[in-house]
C-alpha cells in the first residue's frame, strides 16, 4: 500500500523547502488582500472623479467578477501545464499595476480597461494562490489553508486603514494606489521565487500497483470529474451571495432599516470583517479536530442564524450581532472549499481549484443582482432572506466536504472523468 509522502505521514517536521513555500504563499495572500481592499475602498472616489451614475458604477463593478471568472478558468488551464508559480509571478504584479492604472485613468474608457485588466489579474491570482495553498497543505499533511485566508483578511483591513489615512492626508488616487501597491508588486515578485515549482506542485496520483502503462503515464495529470466538485462549487457560490449581500448592502440595511447613525453604520461591516478574521485565525485547529465537513456544517448553521438575526433585527445592536454571526459562519467555507477541491485532484493540476474559484464570482454577481432586485421590489428585510436560505443550503452541502476514505488497496481515491 503506497504511503502519502508528507511531513505528517513521515512523522517529521516540515522541510525547510516547505516552510519557504508556506511563507511565500502567505506573502501572495497578503498582497492579494491589500490589492483588493486598496481598490474597493476607493470606489466612491472613482465614481466622483469620473461622474458616474449609480447605474453606470454598478455595471463597472460587475465587469470585474465576470472577467475574473474568465481569468480563473484560464489560470486553471495554464496551471495544469506550467504550474501556478508562473501564473502568480506574471499575473499578481499585473493586478497591482491595474489598480494604479485605474487611479491614473483620465477617462471612463481607460478606467474600464484598467478594470478588465484587474479582473483578469484577480481571477488568476485567486486561483493560483489557492493552488499553492493546497500544495502547502498537502506537504504539511494537516489543515493550514484557513490561515492563509486569515492573512488575506488582515491585509484587507490594512488596505482599508491606508485608504482612510490617505484621505485624511488628501492624497490623490494615483499616489494612494502607488504607495501601497508598488511595494506590494515587488514583494509578489520576490516571494514567487520561493513558491512551489511545477514538479513540486504536480504529483502523480497514488495507485495500488504500478503497471507498465501507469509507469509510462505517471507524469500525466489525472482527470478531475465535475460531479464530486459540484457541492463545493455550490457552497462557494452561496457563500459569496451572502458575502456580497453584506459587502454591498450591509451599510444600506443599517441606514434604511434600523436607522443607525452615521457613526454606527460602518460597525456592521466592521463586525463582519472582524469575526471573519478571528475565526480564520483558529480555523485550521478546528478543522484538524472535528474535520472539514463538520466545520462547514457548523459554519452554515451559524451563518443562517446570523441572517435570521439581520432579517428580524428590531434594534441596531441586534443587527450588528447578526452581521458578526454571519462573518463567523461564512468565514470557514471558502478555505475548506479549496482544500476539498485539492483532495479531489491528487495529481495537483489545479483544475478542481480553478473550477471552484469560478463560483466565487458567480455568487458575487448573483448576490448583487438578487438582493438588489428584491430590495427594490420588497425592501431590504425581504432581500436579506435570499442569502438566509442559501446559507441554510450550505448545511446540506457540507457532506461533500468529507474526505474520501481510502479503499482497501489505495491510499487515496483517484477521481477520473
Amino acid at each position: 500500500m503506497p504511503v502519502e509522502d508528507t511531513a505528517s505521514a513521515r512523522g517529521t517536521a516540515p522541510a525547510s523547502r516547505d516552510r519557504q513555500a508556506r511563507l511565500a504563499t502567505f506573502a501572495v495572500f497578503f498582497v492579494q488582500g491589500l490589492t483588493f481592499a486598496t481598490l474597493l475602498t476607493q470606489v466612491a472616489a472613482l465614481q466622483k472623479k469620473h461622474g458616474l451614475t449609480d447605474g453606470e458604477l454598478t455595471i463597472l463593478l460587475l465587469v470585474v467578477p465576470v472577467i475574473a471568472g474568465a481569468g480563473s478558468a484560464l489560470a486553471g488551464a495554464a496551471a495544469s501545464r506550467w504550474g501556478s508559480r508562473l501564473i502568480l509571478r506574471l499575473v499578481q504584479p499585473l493586478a497591482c499595476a491595474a489598480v494604479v492604472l485605474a487611479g491614473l485613468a483620465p477617462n471612463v474608457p481607460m478606467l474600464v480597461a484598467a478594470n478588465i485588466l484587474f479582473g483578469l489579474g484577480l481571477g488568476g491570482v485567486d486561483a493560483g494562490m489557492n493552488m499553492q495553498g493546497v500544495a502547502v497543505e498537502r506537504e504539511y499533511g494537516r489543515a493550514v489553508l484557513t490561515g492563509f485566508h486569515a492573512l488575506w483578511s488582515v491585509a484587507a483591513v490594512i488596505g482599508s486603514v491606508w485608504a482612510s489615512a490617505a484621505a485624511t492626508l488628501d492624497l490623490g488616487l494615483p499616489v494612494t494606489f502607488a504607495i501601497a501597491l508598488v511595494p506590494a508588486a515587488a514583494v509578489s515578485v520576490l516571494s514567487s521565487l520561493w513558491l512551489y515549482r511545477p514538479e513540486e506542485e504536480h504529483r502523480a496520483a497514488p495507485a495500488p500497483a504500478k503497471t507498465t502503462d501507469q509507469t509510462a503515464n505517471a507524469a500525466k495529470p489525472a482527470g478531475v470529474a465535475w460531479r464530486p466538485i459540484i457541492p463545493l462549487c455550490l457552497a462557494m457560490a452561496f457563500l459569496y451571495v451572502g458575502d456580497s449581500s453584506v459587502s454591498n448592502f450591509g451599510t444600506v440595511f443599517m441606514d434604511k432599516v434600523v436607522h443607525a447613525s452615521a457613526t454606527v453604520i460602518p460597525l456592521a461591516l466592521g463586525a463582519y470583517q472582524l469575526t471573519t478574521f478571528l475565526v480564520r485565525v483558529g480555523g485550521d485547529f478546528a478543522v484538524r479536530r472535528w474535520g472539514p465537513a463538520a466545520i462547514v456544517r457548523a459554519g452554515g448553521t451559524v451563518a443562517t442564524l446570523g441572517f435570521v438575526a439581520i432579517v428580524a433585527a428590531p434594534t441596531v445592536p441586534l443587527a450588528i450581532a447578526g452581521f458578526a454571526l454571519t462573518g463567523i459562519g461564512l468565514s470557514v467555507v471558502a478555505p475548506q472549499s479549496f482544500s476539498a477541491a485539492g483532495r479531489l485532484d491528487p495529481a495537483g493540476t489545479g483544475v478542481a481549484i480553478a473550477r471552484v474559484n469560478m463560483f466565487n464570482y458567480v455568487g458575487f454577481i448573483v448576490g448583487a443582482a438578487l438582493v438588489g432586485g428584491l430590495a427594490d421590489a420588497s425592501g431590504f428585510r425581504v432581500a436579506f432572506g435570499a442569502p438566509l436560505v442559501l446559507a441554510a443550503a450550505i448545511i446540506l452541502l457540507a457532506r461533500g466536504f468529507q474526505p474520501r476514505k481510502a479503499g482497501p488497496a489505495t491510499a487515496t481515491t483517484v477521481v477520473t472523468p
Side-chain angles (χ1 to χ4, degrees), residues 62 66-67 85 90 94 114 159 167 178 184 201 212 270 286 293 332 343 395 413:
L62 288 177
V66 171
I67 299 298
R85 182 169 83 156
L90 296 175
L94 186 68
E201 183 181 5
T212 302
V332 300
R343 290 192 295 272
I395 302 171
T413 300

Side-chain angles (χ1 to χ4, degrees), residues 21-99:
R22 189 180 186 185
L23 288 172
T25 305
F26 270 126
V28 171
F29 271 83
F30 183 89
V31 171
Q32 181 74 336
L34 183 66
T35 305
F36 187 78
T38 299
L39 178 61
L40 288 195
T41 52
Q42 299 293 345
V43 167
L46 288 168
Q47 181 182 25
K48 184 177 179 180
K49 175 181 176 180
H50 295 282
L52 300 172
T53 66
D54 289 341
E56 291 169 339
L57 179 64
T58 299
I59 293 172
L60 184 67
L61 291 176
L62 288 177
V63 165
V64 173
V66 171
I67 299 298
S72 181
L74 291 172
S80 65
R81 183 170 182 179
W82 295 296
S84 58
R85 182 169 83 156
L86 178 62
I87 293 168
L88 291 168
R89 179 176 291 175
L90 296 175
V91 176
Q92 188 160 53
L94 186 68
C96 295
V99 176

Side-chain angles (χ1 to χ4, degrees), residues 245 249-250 252-260 306-320 322-323 370-389:
S245 301
F249 303 108
V252 182
F253 181 95
M254 293 294 291
D255 179 29
K256 294 186 175 181
V257 179
V258 295
H259 309 294
F307 279 116
V308 168
I310 293 170
V311 170
T315 63
V316 169
L318 185 55
I320 293 175
F323 283 106
L370 180 63
V371 175
L374 287 173
D376 286 340
S378 306
F380 278 98
R381 284 198 190 274
V382 173
F384 269 82
L388 187 163
V389 172

Side-chain angles (χ1 to χ4, degrees), residues 4-404:
E4 188 180 4
D5 184 23
T6 65
S8 178
R10 295 190 301 267
T12 60
S16 60
R17 178 70 189 99
D18 297 325
R19 290 194 293 269
Q20 283 183 341
R22 189 180 186 185
L23 288 172
T25 305
F26 270 126
V28 171
F29 271 83
F30 183 89
V31 171
Q32 181 74 336
L34 183 66
T35 305
F36 187 78
T38 299
L39 178 61
L40 288 195
T41 52
Q42 299 293 345
V43 167
L46 288 168
Q47 181 182 25
K48 184 177 179 180
K49 175 181 176 180
H50 295 282
L52 300 172
T53 66
D54 289 341
E56 291 169 339
L57 179 64
T58 299
I59 293 172
L60 184 67
L61 291 176
L62 288 177
V63 165
V64 173
V66 171
I67 299 298
S72 181
L74 291 172
S80 65
R81 183 170 182 179
W82 295 296
S84 58
R85 182 169 83 156
L86 178 62
I87 293 168
L88 291 168
R89 179 176 291 175
L90 296 175
V91 176
Q92 188 160 53
L94 186 68
C96 295
V99 176
V100 176
L101 290 174
L104 291 168
N107 51 49
V108 173
M110 290 296 294
L111 180 62
V112 171
N115 263 28
I116 290 173
L117 195 63
F118 175 71
L120 285 171
L122 178 70
V125 176
D126 277 350
M129 70 185 188
N130 281 290
M131 293 174 197
Q132 286 285 326
V134 165
V136 170
E137 186 171 77
R138 179 195 66 206
E139 295 304 318
Y140 269 66
R142 63 178 187 268
V144 299
L145 193 60
T146 307
F148 294 126
H149 286 261
L151 191 62
W152 187 100
S153 298
V154 171
V157 172
I158 291 173
S160 301
V161 171
W162 166 241
S164 176
T168 302
L169 296 170
D170 199 24
L171 301 179
L173 285 175
V175 176
T176 299
F177 290 160
I179 288 176
L181 297 182
V182 169
V187 169
S188 173
V189 172
L190 290 173
S191 65
S192 70
L193 299 174
W194 282 3
L195 294 171
Y196 282 130
R197 298 182 296 275
E199 62 270 21
E200 297 172 302
E201 183 181 5
H202 296 163
R203 292 289 184 91
K210 284 190 175 181
T211 65
T212 302
D213 289 341
Q214 287 172 324
T215 302
N217 294 323
K220 293 183 180 179
V224 180
W226 266 103
R227 184 175 178 179
I229 299 175
I230 288 175
L232 315 179
C233 294
L234 291 176
M236 180 70 86
F238 296 165
L239 149 69
Y240 276 99
V241 169
D243 183 82
S244 69
S245 301
V246 174
S247 300
N248 292 327
F249 303 108
T251 55
V252 182
F253 181 95
M254 293 294 291
D255 179 29
K256 294 186 175 181
V257 179
V258 295
H259 309 294
S261 67
T263 303
V264 174
I265 283 173
L267 295 181
L269 185 56
Y272 175 80
Q273 292 174 331
L274 178 62
T275 55
T276 295
F277 163 68
L278 292 175
V279 171
R280 284 177 171 175
V281 167
D284 288 324
F285 298 101
V287 172
R288 292 170 202 165
R289 179 164 184 177
W290 290 293
I295 293 302
V296 171
R297 188 175 295 111
T301 302
V302 174
T304 302
L305 293 174
F307 279 116
V308 168
I310 293 170
V311 170
T315 63
V316 169
L318 185 55
I320 293 175
F323 283 106
L325 277 175
T326 302
I328 292 172
L330 295 182
S331 63
V332 300
V333 179
Q336 292 315 306
S337 296
F338 288 121
S339 184
R343 290 192 295 272
L344 293 173
D345 182 11
T349 65
V351 171
I353 293 170
R355 289 176 183 172
V356 170
N357 187 58
M358 284 190 291
F359 282 80
N360 166 351
Y361 314 114
V362 171
F364 187 90
I365 294 168
V366 170
L370 180 63
V371 175
L374 287 173
D376 286 340
S378 306
F380 278 98
R381 284 198 190 274
V382 173
F384 269 82
L388 187 163
V389 172
L390 295 180
I394 293 175
I395 302 171
L396 303 178
L397 295 168
R399 184 179 179 184
F401 289 75
Q402 186 66 35
R404 295 187 167 198

